[in-house]
Amino acid sequence: MKYILLTYLLCLAVAGTTHAKLVQITEDNWRDVLTGEWMVEFFAPWCPACRALQPAWQEFSTWSEDLEINVAQVDVTTSPGLSGRFMVTALPTIFHVKNGIFRQYRGARDKDSFIVYIEDKKWSAVEPVSDWKAPDSLQMSAVSYFFKLSMVLRNIHTTLTEEYQLPSWASYIAFACATILLGGVLGLLMVCCIDCIWPPRREVVPTAGAGKEQ
């Protein structure tokens, strides 16, 4: 019984060490990947392919110290803005990051392939993500906010249809009215700003006797 207990505790310690090496990236700390070398996986809990990859990715993360890299993952359900910032269109998606230069990993998805990819520096033969699609660029920051907004709208729609039992068409009408109202308010503000910056010229109307000689 004593040996069984010791074995169980040892397994727990090993499992805890394994999980500790896998970094969780969120909206708050994503800029950490801009420094050093990283392998980052984007996943969702509901994705079957992501669930199939998890054992290999967890095992690969235990090699992070030997390979002198950081192994991380991003849950797109809790950080939707990052899926827009990194232009993630399929799950799971894996990126290799070296000093702020991003490359998408497209090789085999097993532990040995990940290790060889780092050890042999196979990432050097992969074309980096273009500057205009770089996650830290201004335009991708704007895209990330749109993704966040879409998630907020989706949650509102879910609340209206599930908690308040409204039909879907009523939710869509509410969104349409809100869009029209918001567009009108923004349009009015834009007109006011333009009038303040470039006020319209007032034409001076000549008086009746202005052209007569005195």
Side-chain angles (χ1 to χ4, degrees):
M1 183 67 181
K2 180 179 179 181
Y3 293 108
I4 295 176
L5 180 60
L6 289 175
T7 303
Y8 177 72
L9 293 175
L10 180 61
C11 291
L12 288 178
V14 172
T17 304
T18 300
H19 286 286
K21 296 180 183 297
L22 188 57
V23 182
Q24 300 297 323
I25 299 298
T26 65
E27 301 277 0
D28 298 326
N29 66 348
W30 76 268
R31 288 189 176 274
D32 291 349
V33 305
L34 300 178
T35 305
E37 188 172 7
W38 294 73
M39 287 285 281
V40 184
E41 175 214 5
F42 287 78
F43 80 103
W46 50 261
C47 171
C50 299
R51 290 197 295 266
L53 175 62
Q54 287 314 297
W57 196 252
Q58 290 278 0
E59 191 175 0
F60 172 56
S61 69
T62 64
W63 285 73
S64 59
E65 292 184 2
D66 296 330
L67 298 173
E68 296 182 347
I69 66 168
N70 299 288
V71 181
Q73 60 182 183
V74 179
D75 185 349
V76 298
T77 61
T78 57
S79 301
L82 292 183
S83 61
R85 185 180 293 276
F86 285 80
M87 287 298 290
V88 175
T89 57
L91 294 174
T93 294
I94 300 173
F95 282 98
H96 171 268
V97 191
K98 177 76 171 180
N99 296 328
I101 299 177
F102 295 81
R103 295 175 172 88
Q104 186 170 350
Y105 175 84
R106 299 183 184 275
R109 295 175 178 178
D110 58 82
K111 182 201 68 175
D112 294 335
S113 297
F114 297 145
I115 294 174
V116 171
Y117 185 80
I118 299 299
E119 286 185 333
D120 296 348
K121 296 185 177 181
K122 290 187 175 183
W123 50 264
S124 60
V126 179
E127 184 178 358
V129 174
S130 58
D131 291 338
W132 73 272
K133 291 174 63 178
D136 56 341
S137 63
L138 180 62
Q139 56 271 22
M140 297 313 296
S141 297
V143 172
S144 71
Y145 284 111
F146 279 112
F147 270 69
K148 291 179 184 178
L149 178 61
S150 66
M151 185 58 65
V152 170
L153 295 178
R154 179 180 178 182
N155 291 336
I156 293 175
H157 173 74
T158 302
T159 301
L160 292 176
T161 55
E162 293 184 2
E163 293 187 11
Y164 294 96
Q165 300 296 318
L166 291 178
S168 296
W169 60 265
S171 176
Y172 296 145
I173 291 177
F175 279 120
C177 293
T179 301
I180 294 172
L181 179 61
L182 180 61
V185 172
L186 292 177
L188 181 61
L189 290 176
M190 187 177 296
V191 171
C192 293
C193 291
I194 292 175
D195 285 343
C196 292
I197 298 173
W198 295 288
R201 294 182 179 180
R202 295 183 179 180
E203 297 183 359
V204 179
V205 180
T207 58
K212 296 182 179 180
E213 297 182 358
Q214 300 294 332

